[in-house]
Amino acid sequence: MTTSPVDVWAGPLTTPDHAAYMARQTPVLTAQHMSVVYQVTPPVEAVRDVSLVLNRGEILGLAGESGCGKTTLAYAINRLLKPPALLTSGEATLHDHSGEDIDITALSGDHLRAFRWDKISMVFQGAMNALNPVISVRAQLFDVFTTHRPDMGRAEKEQAAKDLLTLVGVDPDRLGSFAHELSGGMRQRVMIAMALALRPQVMIMDEPTTALDVVVQRGILREIMRLRERFNFAVIFITHDLPLLLEISDRIAVMREGRIVEVNTAKNIFEHPQHAYTKKLLSSFPSLLGETGGFVRTGDEDLNPSSPDTDDPMGGIR
């Protein structure tokens, strides 16, 4: 009698000093054993048994190729999934600065509506096109305050809106502008201002610099770093651009086909990658300095991961 092979998952690869790093941190968000299935024919397992910890005030990069489940995981954490996507297992918990642990997966109705944007906000993929084209920037910022801060008067909302635009480097006179009157970089900054409006503890940024030229991208990234230092919010920064994450992140989680295959500090991911897929990502970028100095890797490294199945260059991930 023969038995079919069992998909045994030992969890993401890392190094011992990562555990020591985590022991010194304070978690603000914990996701445990989250799985998401798209109920189509045949069903697609987009996220498979993912556990993740985000520490207070840190930038956690989530890297991986398109379609690996990064955005689906973010939507699952923030309870934004819509059919045919279904969270089949797992839970996400926000460790509020008040000391309360909030089970995000148990929230519903008005409680969920009050939680979003106040505790966790999100800058969506394609955020440049996320602004409502038929109402002004002022009206969209006012809508956030009206929903979550109903006691604010009009003068308070006006001043808060001006302060937010100033904070992200946009002229407050642009409050009366519509989306089509703003450049791509300005629209992105307005979306970041909206995400910051209620001073959330966690901000999820899904490809926030996509479709921006490199100069504008650099300005947006500097703004994010500056604001993070000022307000001490934590960031999950989603992108397929691993070199970018190496520059801005405290830690990086590498995702492939619905699973996190490696998680570590940015320094360790760069200097001591463990998984074959991480090594391939690092070696996929061309040298900027010629033969004497590659940007990240030369591409000649051993692609076998530190896993029992050394004959499989993908470490058993399919």
Side-chain angles (χ1 to χ4, degrees):
M1 179 177 179
T2 61
T3 58
S4 59
V6 177
D7 184 12
V8 178
W9 175 239
L13 299 178
T14 188
T15 55
D17 55 341
H18 178 251
Y21 170 88
M22 293 297 290
R24 299 191 298 269
Q25 307 301 313
T26 303
V28 65
L29 179 69
T30 304
Q32 295 182 307
H33 305 293
M34 301 195 81
S35 295
V36 178
V37 174
Y38 283 91
Q39 296 181 307
V40 293
T41 305
V44 176
E45 293 181 277
V47 176
R48 300 192 286 167
D49 194 27
V50 168
S51 295
L52 196 64
V53 175
L54 176 67
N55 298 311
R56 195 169 295 281
E58 82 169 347
I59 295 180
L60 173 64
L62 188 57
E65 63 197 12
S66 297
C68 71
K70 304 185 300 295
T71 297
T72 299
L73 175 61
Y75 275 48
I77 290 172
N78 210 16
R79 294 288 306 282
L80 291 170
L81 293 174
K82 295 184 181 299
L86 177 67
L87 179 68
T88 56
S89 67
E91 60 183 24
T93 304
L94 179 84
H95 310 290
D96 192 60
H97 53 56
S98 67
E100 178 187 6
D101 286 346
I102 302 173
D103 184 355
I104 304 171
T105 47
L107 296 176
S108 61
D110 290 340
H111 294 291
L112 179 59
R113 181 178 174 85
F115 174 86
R116 289 195 191 123
W117 227 253
D118 189 22
K119 304 293 185 182
I120 299 180
S121 64
M122 188 163 181
V123 177
F124 295 93
Q125 192 171 25
M128 284 199 308
N129 299 317
L131 290 172
N132 191 321
V134 298
I135 61 176
S136 67
V137 171
R138 175 184 285 107
Q140 294 180 67
L141 285 168
F142 276 27
D143 183 57
V144 176
F145 296 132
T146 300
T147 301
H148 294 276
R149 301 290 186 268
D151 295 334
M152 288 181 71
R154 182 173 180 82
E156 287 181 281
K157 294 176 186 176
E158 181 76 15
Q159 187 57 53
K162 288 181 178 179
D163 291 344
L164 281 169
L165 291 194
T166 301
L167 194 64
V168 296
V170 176
D171 188 338
D173 290 342
R174 288 290 191 170
L175 275 175
S177 298
F178 292 79
H180 69 274
E181 298 175 307
L182 305 175
S183 68
M186 291 173 70
R187 276 180 278 173
Q188 194 71 298
R189 288 171 184 266
V190 169
M191 287 303 303
I192 293 172
M194 293 178 67
L196 281 170
L198 304 178
R199 301 292 186 265
Q201 298 172 55
V202 175
M203 187 182 298
I204 300 173
M205 311 191 88
D206 190 3
E207 302 274 8
T209 57
T210 298
L212 299 176
D213 66 64
V214 291
V215 176
V216 176
Q217 180 187 87
R218 173 65 58 179
I220 295 292
L221 292 174
R222 284 178 176 169
E223 208 68 57
I224 293 168
M225 299 291 285
R226 182 181 66 83
L227 293 168
R228 191 276 298 254
E229 290 294 328
R230 178 170 175 178
F231 297 112
N232 197 40
F233 55 83
V235 179
I236 298 177
F237 196 105
I238 300 170
T239 182
H240 57 268
D241 190 344
L242 187 54
L244 170 64
L245 291 182
L246 289 170
E247 182 178 351
I248 70 170
S249 301
D250 299 295
R251 291 190 304 130
I252 296 173
V254 179
M255 197 165 184
R256 176 174 169 80
E257 295 194 353
R259 282 177 167 154
I260 292 178
V261 297
E262 183 169 356
V263 60
N264 215 325
T265 62
K267 184 175 186 294
N268 280 342
I269 289 287
F270 174 60
E271 296 179 351
H272 308 292
Q274 302 294 301
H275 198 278
Y277 181 63
T278 308
K279 294 175 183 179
K280 282 197 169 185
L281 286 178
L282 289 167
S283 65
S284 66
F285 296 93
S287 167
L288 296 180
L289 303 176
E291 294 181 0
T292 58
F295 173 53
V296 175
R297 289 285 186 272
T298 64
D300 298 327
E301 292 80 7
D302 178 14
L303 292 182
N304 290 330
S306 301
S307 68
D309 187 6
T310 55
D311 293 330
D312 184 356
M314 285 293 97
I317 302 300
R318 287 290 178 266

